[in-house]
Amino acid sequence: MISRTLAAFSPLASLAFSSLILFGNPAAAQSYPVKPVELVVAFQPGGGVDSMARIFAEAARPLFPQPLVVVNKPGASGSIGLAYVATAPADGYKVAMVFAELLTIPLLGINKVNHEDFQPIAKFASDPSTLTVRADAPWSTIEEFIAYAKANPGKASISNAGNGSISHISGAALGQKAGVQFTHVPYQGSAPAVQGLMGGQVSATTVNYSVVSAQITGGKLKMLASMSDKRFAAFDKVPTLKERGIDLSVDVWRGIAVAKNTPKETVDSLRALAGKVAREPALQETLRKQNLTYAYEDSEEFARTMARESERFKQIIPQLDIKN
């Protein structure tokens, strides 16, 4: 009986049996990703974070087995969208577009979610904040705007992308450095903040360069100063704050991350994708056309950037009069 059983268990039968085990559960045999991946934007459509997400998702389409679907979840200065990913199952099917405000939100008590809740994948772009006004505004220089603000405390209003946003902190830091009192007006993202300026609801905005550059080029807005370390080639007549004696520079970066404890194989898959996308000349050209400044960092370097800037904000924010 035993000999007949062993004889029946031939190499061919063994191969068939192994195939049954391997392919009997197709889902188990497949590797990440087996379904579309949500690319979560914590702001409304139209801003710099949203633009970066859509550029990345499109560039990744031919390089990834599944599509990356952009999902907008705005609110609470971006913390709703960030928490949506941080608290989701750590399986890589919800990827967050992360941004510099990830480091400031917890310091302001808006939400407990912070950079340590994520596994960084890659940084793609970085742009400075600006001080921008309407083209028909009575101020043509940063000095004129500050002089008006000093002469009229609280009347100079500045829009930002939400309480605790980098643009909010930029405006508050500018007020502190210049010794003036601004009225800060929060919006649900950078694009609405610019619309508020265009509609005359505020005097100026401190959102980042990429969000206002098209309107500046189109003659609807004018930039009085950039919060960069050096002038932009496209706007070489616009001074930096440092040139005008205000020691302030603020960068707004964007990248992707997943929930902490996501499996290494999944993280590695996303890192490989990010690296391939970042090396595509077409991506870099698209970023340039969208006025986003290419600034790629891989997972480890991106993690170091987050940790370093988090410590810097821990020093800066307590000195500012920022109210939620």
Side-chain angles (χ1 to χ4, degrees):
M1 178 70 70
I2 294 176
S3 62
R4 287 198 300 272
T5 303
L6 290 174
F9 199 68
S10 64
L12 184 59
S14 176
L15 179 60
F17 181 68
S18 298
S19 298
L20 179 63
I21 293 175
L22 182 62
F23 299 111
N25 184 353
Q30 292 177 297
S31 59
Y32 172 88
V34 297
K35 61 181 181 179
V37 174
E38 290 185 33
L39 186 56
V40 180
V41 175
F43 299 105
Q44 293 180 356
V49 178
D50 182 74
S51 295
M52 183 70 250
R54 295 179 190 280
I55 291 170
F56 177 67
E58 182 61 29
R61 189 176 301 277
L63 304 173
F64 208 50
Q66 296 286 339
L68 276 71
V69 181
V70 177
V71 177
N72 295 86
K73 288 192 173 292
S77 300
S79 60
I80 289 177
L82 292 172
Y84 175 73
V85 177
T87 59
D91 55 13
Y93 287 100
K94 288 180 175 59
V95 176
M97 282 300 307
V98 289
F99 40 90
E101 284 85 351
L102 172 61
L103 309 178
T104 64
I105 289 170
L107 299 177
L108 294 167
I110 296 172
N111 196 293
K112 293 182 179 180
V113 64
N114 63 70
H115 71 284
E116 294 179 345
D117 295 320
F118 292 92
Q119 166 62 54
I121 300 297
K123 186 181 86 171
F124 296 110
S126 182
D127 293 288
S129 293
T130 69
L131 180 67
T132 300
V133 299
R134 282 167 50 120
D136 59 359
W139 320 286
S140 296
T141 66
I142 180 69
E143 290 85 356
E144 290 175 355
F145 184 75
I146 289 175
Y148 169 81
K150 285 183 176 180
N152 302 273
K155 286 191 177 181
S157 55
I158 299 179
S159 70
N160 60 58
N163 285 325
S165 66
I166 294 299
S167 51
H168 185 189
I169 292 169
S170 298
L174 174 60
Q176 183 206 42
K177 293 281 186 180
V180 298
Q181 179 186 342
F182 296 125
T183 295
H184 300 282
V185 183
Y187 286 80
Q188 292 289 330
S190 296
V194 173
Q195 290 302 314
L197 174 60
M198 302 269 289
Q201 299 164 14
V202 294
S203 310
T205 188
T206 46
V207 299
N208 61 289
Y209 156 80
S210 66
V211 185
V212 293
S213 55
Q215 291 90 340
I216 293 170
T217 301
K220 296 179 180 179
L221 299 177
K222 58 184 175 183
M223 190 193 312
L224 301 184
S226 70
M227 300 187 190
S228 53
D229 289 326
K230 60 182 181 180
R231 294 191 184 194
F232 278 97
F235 299 105
D236 59 355
K237 291 184 171 27
V238 178
T240 66
L241 288 180
K242 288 186 174 183
E243 288 180 64
R244 292 297 186 257
I246 301 173
D247 187 16
L248 179 64
S249 61
V250 184
D251 280 326
V252 181
W253 47 255
R254 303 172 190 85
I256 58 173
V258 289
K260 186 173 66 175
N261 299 325
T262 297
K264 182 180 183 301
E265 295 77 10
T266 300
V267 170
D268 288 345
S269 178
L270 288 167
R271 288 179 66 181
L273 171 66
K276 289 177 184 176
V277 170
R279 288 189 293 270
E280 288 287 327
L283 173 96
Q284 298 179 32
E285 177 63 16
T286 302
L287 288 178
R288 188 190 64 78
K289 289 180 178 178
Q290 293 286 337
N291 302 302
L292 296 166
T293 304
Y294 177 80
Y296 176 73
E297 290 181 0
D298 191 15
S299 177
E300 294 179 359
E301 187 178 2
F302 192 18
R304 289 193 293 270
T305 294
M306 286 190 188
R308 181 178 63 252
E309 293 195 2
S310 177
E311 290 304 313
R312 184 168 70 95
F313 282 123
K314 286 177 183 177
Q315 300 298 318
I316 293 174
I317 289 178
Q319 302 174 21
L320 304 177
D321 183 23
I322 295 181
K323 297 179 176 60
N324 299 329

